[in-house]
Amino acid sequence: EYCKELIRNARQFPFGELREISSLGVVQKKHKRHVKTSVDRLIGVVAESEDGSQRRGLLPVEFKARVMQSTVQKEEDRIHDLRRKRLMSDNSIYFEMDSNSQHSFLGMKKPDERLQALHHAYVLGLPNCLHAVGNTRRLM
């Protein structure tokens, strides 16, 4: 369901034009067979470079479901904090976060989820990872 919602909201997708969402099994880091990961999905995007040319890219996705009312409330509080600090717009479910930012802990409250996103990016040799959180009905 979360993938369908990403496609429905593709016009709001801030990381480029969403072209494809694929499943991916376990992958290993090039030249390091012992370093492996498994992402939930891999998104193909096309973005415009600074020089105006188009560049293709990949974005690993890790989906997290908050199903208990207490965890949904914590997630809603986190989103409220992001919007109050003007780190996330009121009409979007997306925001960009740099791991070096003083506010990075607000993007992903759970240290294990932050580590997992960093690990996905490292293993795949990519600079970004999409961490998508939803409740039982939709992405938050």
Side-chain angles (χ1 to χ4, degrees):
E1 268 318 293
Y2 293 154
C3 289
K4 290 178 186 175
E5 188 168 351
L6 282 176
I7 292 169
R8 279 194 304 270
N9 293 308
R11 282 193 288 271
Q12 293 179 12
F13 198 66
F15 310 105
E17 182 183 333
L18 193 153
R19 290 280 177 98
E20 182 179 347
I21 300 177
S22 300
S23 296
L24 187 67
V26 175
V27 294
Q28 69 186 36
K29 185 154 184 72
K30 191 175 184 177
H31 307 298
K32 294 186 179 185
R33 293 186 355 215
H34 62 283
V35 181
K36 300 176 182 174
T37 196
S38 176
V39 298
D40 291 332
R41 295 288 186 273
L42 194 62
I43 295 178
V45 296
V46 175
E48 192 171 306
S49 298
E50 291 179 13
D51 64 2
S53 64
Q54 288 190 338
R55 67 178 167 77
R56 296 175 183 270
L58 296 173
L59 186 62
V61 181
E62 184 64 34
F63 291 110
K64 297 296 181 188
R66 308 295 191 230
V67 295
M68 303 292 294
Q69 183 55 39
S70 60
T71 57
V72 170
Q73 185 61 54
K74 286 178 185 175
E75 209 56 47
E76 288 172 350
D77 292 346
R78 179 188 66 84
I79 291 166
H80 176 75
D81 286 347
L82 289 166
R83 289 181 172 149
R84 186 174 50 80
K85 293 179 187 294
R86 305 253 187 256
L87 298 171
M88 182 177 186
S89 94
D90 288 337
N91 58 354
S92 178
I93 60 172
Y94 301 108
F95 80 100
E96 288 188 66
M97 177 188 74
D98 186 312
S99 61
N100 291 324
S101 167
Q102 67 178 353
H103 299 294
S104 65
F105 69 94
L106 290 174
M108 290 184 248
K109 287 275 191 184
K110 296 182 177 185
D112 58 321
E113 291 181 4
R114 288 195 301 268
L115 184 60
Q116 185 180 33
L118 288 169
H119 181 71
H120 289 333
Y122 171 74
V123 172
L124 294 167
L126 297 170
N128 301 306
C129 180
L130 179 63
H131 179 261
V133 178
N135 58 27
T136 56
R137 298 183 320 269
R138 61 178 173 77
L139 289 173
M140 300 172 71

